[in-house]
């Protein structure tokens, strides 16, 4: 006997603009931290001058995340229920704790990194004093703390893609490519934000060139994920083909993300140089804009495509 899964999809979705904004800012934070980790985890001396500003940028980018998340909840005062009623089989339960643990660990990481580079942070004075006291007694050094913080950051970013992936009846989200797609976009937008911050300090030519190469590589990987998504959607089912059609018709995706956010920056960043600082700044801004529009497109088109079959 043949069986067929039938999903009931409601047209009126509770998801609004706050969701893609939340995903975007979380990705910015994670991407910026990845740049900082190139020094603290992978010991690349070229990124030593970038490590602290990138970590601080990561923290500042994360600030809107809990605000957007609570604003999107219909009953934000009941948020604590997610903490005390932990369900190990629930993606939301794991995500809730990751969203809490990641920024706490990030604060501790910034305090320890600042101490190691002789940087005092007035607003984090208490945290730095605690970090200084525990540095000798704790067996967890800066590199170990960096690995822990980076792991929490990557899981916090991937969690959103997993959450979208388990929503039944939304073919655009039910893809194994989505975690890699989102993580790559997070890294490239975070790196672009760090580039903007670094260009307003005293940038070194070699560091800028290396950072630009990272952005170029991540943009190329984004193209790979985009094309792979097109192929899988077009070859799977009629629902997938309709979702692909909606995606291509969405100006935020095709013009905003693919053209302005990927292709144009790749051309502009072809020969990076400090003599072309305005070009670098514009390219970085376009990359960030493309990442933002990608989130809006994936969330919005995913809901529109599912509504066609209701």
């Amino acid at each position: 006997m043949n069986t067929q899964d039938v999903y009931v999809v409601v047209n009126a979705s509770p998801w609004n603009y706050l969701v893609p904004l939340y995903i975007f800012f979380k990705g910015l934070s994670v991407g910026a931290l990845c740049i900082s980790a190139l020094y603290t985890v992978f010991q690349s001396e070229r990124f030593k001058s970038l490590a602290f500003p990138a970590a601080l940028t990561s923290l500042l980018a994360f600030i809107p995340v809990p605000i957007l998340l609570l604003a999107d909840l219909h009953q934000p005062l009941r948020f604590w229920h997610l903490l005390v009623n932990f369900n190990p089989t629930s993606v939301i339960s794991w995500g809730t704790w990751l969203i809490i643990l990641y920024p706490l660990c990030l604060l501790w990481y910034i305090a320890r990194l600042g101490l190691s580079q002789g940087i005092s942070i007035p607003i984090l004075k208490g945290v730095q004093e605690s970090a200084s006291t525990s540095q000798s007694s704790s067996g967890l050094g800066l590199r170990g703390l960096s690995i822990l913080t980076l792991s929490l950051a990557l899981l916090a970013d991937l969690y959103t893609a997993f959450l979208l992936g388990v929503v039944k009846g939304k073919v655009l989200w039910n893809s194994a490519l989505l975690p890699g797609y989102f993580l790559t976009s997070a890294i490239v937008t975070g790196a672009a934000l760090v580039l903007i911050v670094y260009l307003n300090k005293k940038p070194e030519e070699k560091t800028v060139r290396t950072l630009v190469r990272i952005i170029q590589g991540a943009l190329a990987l984004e193209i790979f994920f985009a094309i792979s998504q097109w192929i899988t959607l077009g070859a799977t089912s009629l629902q997938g083909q309709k979702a692909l059609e909606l995606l291509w018709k969405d100006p935020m995706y095709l013009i905003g993300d693919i053209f302005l956010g990927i292709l144009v920056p790749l051309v502009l960043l072809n020969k990076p140089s400090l003599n072309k600082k305005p070009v670098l700044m514009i390219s970085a801004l376009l990359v960030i804009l493309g990442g933002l529009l990608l989130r809006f497109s994936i969330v919005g088109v995913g809901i529109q495509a599912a509504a066609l079959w209701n």
Side-chain angles (χ1 to χ4, degrees), residues 221-294:
L221 191 56
E222 261 202 276
I223 293 175
F224 165 77
F225 278 113
I227 295 175
S228 299
Q229 186 183 50
W230 300 344
I231 294 172
T232 53
L233 284 173
T236 50
S237 62
L238 182 59
Q239 289 93 331
Q241 293 167 12
K242 289 294 183 181
L244 180 60
E245 183 180 337
L246 285 175
L247 198 60
W248 280 348
K249 288 180 178 179
D250 184 7
M252 285 194 296
Y253 180 75
L254 207 58
I255 298 175
D257 177 45
I258 301 299
F259 181 70
L260 292 178
I262 297 179
L263 299 179
V264 172
L266 278 175
V267 174
L268 293 178
L269 294 173
N270 186 34
K271 293 182 179 179
S273 171
L274 285 177
N275 296 326
K276 300 178 180 178
K277 187 180 288 189
V279 175
L280 295 175
M281 295 283 284
I282 292 172
S283 301
L285 287 171
L286 287 175
V287 168
I288 294 171
L289 175 63
L292 175 61
L293 295 178
L294 172 66

Side-chain angles (χ1 to χ4, degrees), residues 2 46 59 63 65 73 80 105 181 183-184 200 208 226 242:
N2 295 328
R46 182 167 293 183
L59 178 63
I63 290 174
V65 171
L73 295 176
W80 64 273
C105 204
Y181 201 173
L183 183 58
T184 302
N200 285 285
V208 169
K242 289 294 183 181

Side-chain angles (χ1 to χ4, degrees), residues 6-305:
V6 178
Y7 303 127
V8 177
V9 182
V10 181
N11 277 324
S13 173
W15 294 47
N16 54 36
Y17 68 93
L18 295 175
V19 174
L21 283 176
Y22 151 74
I23 300 172
F24 169 70
F25 280 107
K26 185 173 62 173
L28 270 183
S29 174
V30 172
L33 181 67
C34 288
I35 300 303
S36 177
L38 290 174
Y39 170 68
T40 55
V41 174
F42 300 101
Q43 310 292 301
S44 175
E45 288 294 326
R46 182 167 293 183
F47 290 92
K48 183 176 182 179
S49 61
L50 264 180
F52 185 79
L56 202 56
T57 300
S58 174
L59 178 63
L60 294 175
F62 190 83
I63 290 174
V65 171
I67 300 172
L68 292 166
L69 193 58
L70 289 174
D72 185 60
L73 295 176
H74 296 289
Q75 295 180 332
L77 295 180
R78 299 187 64 184
F79 176 75
W80 64 273
H81 284 261
L82 293 172
L83 302 178
V84 297
N85 299 315
F86 180 77
N87 180 0
T89 63
S90 169
V91 178
I92 293 179
S93 288
W94 285 104
T96 300
W97 278 103
L98 285 170
I99 293 300
I100 293 173
L101 294 175
Y102 164 52
L104 292 176
C105 204
L106 178 59
L107 274 172
W108 198 260
Y109 166 72
I110 291 172
R112 289 283 292 271
L113 180 59
L115 284 173
S116 70
Q117 296 189 351
I119 301 172
S120 177
I121 315 167
I123 196 172
L124 298 178
K125 184 178 179 181
V127 180
Q128 282 197 303
E129 288 176 353
S130 300
S132 179
T133 304
S134 64
Q135 190 168 4
S136 56
S137 58
S138 173
L140 189 66
L142 177 59
R143 188 163 187 262
L145 180 59
S146 305
I147 294 172
L148 174 62
T149 308
L150 181 62
S151 300
L152 288 172
L154 295 176
L155 289 173
D157 188 70
L158 291 171
Y159 135 76
T160 306
F162 294 143
L163 179 61
L164 294 177
V166 298
V167 177
K168 300 294 185 181
K170 290 182 170 55
V171 66
L172 185 60
W173 299 351
N174 305 147
S175 170
L177 294 167
L178 200 58
Y181 201 173
F182 271 8
L183 183 58
T184 302
S185 181
I187 291 173
V188 73
T189 52
L193 183 60
V194 171
L195 177 61
I196 292 173
V197 172
Y198 188 59
L199 287 174
N200 285 285
K201 297 173 71 68
K202 294 180 179 178
E204 299 175 1
E205 184 80 32
K206 288 184 178 179
T207 304
V208 169
R209 287 181 179 273
T210 304
L211 194 53
V212 167
R213 280 198 291 269
I214 291 173
I215 294 173
Q216 290 172 322
L219 288 175
L221 191 56
E222 261 202 276
I223 293 175
F224 165 77
F225 278 113
I227 295 175
S228 299
Q229 186 183 50
W230 300 344
I231 294 172
T232 53
L233 284 173
T236 50
S237 62
L238 182 59
Q239 289 93 331
Q241 293 167 12
K242 289 294 183 181
L244 180 60
E245 183 180 337
L246 285 175
L247 198 60
W248 280 348
K249 288 180 178 179
D250 184 7
M252 285 194 296
Y253 180 75
L254 207 58
I255 298 175
D257 177 45
I258 301 299
F259 181 70
L260 292 178
I262 297 179
L263 299 179
V264 172
L266 278 175
V267 174
L268 293 178
L269 294 173
N270 186 34
K271 293 182 179 179
S273 171
L274 285 177
N275 296 326
K276 300 178 180 178
K277 187 180 288 189
V279 175
L280 295 175
M281 295 283 284
I282 292 172
S283 301
L285 287 171
L286 287 175
V287 168
I288 294 171
L289 175 63
L292 175 61
L293 295 178
L294 172 66
R295 269 70 170 185
F296 272 98
S297 183
I298 293 294
V299 172
V301 173
I303 293 171
Q304 292 174 32

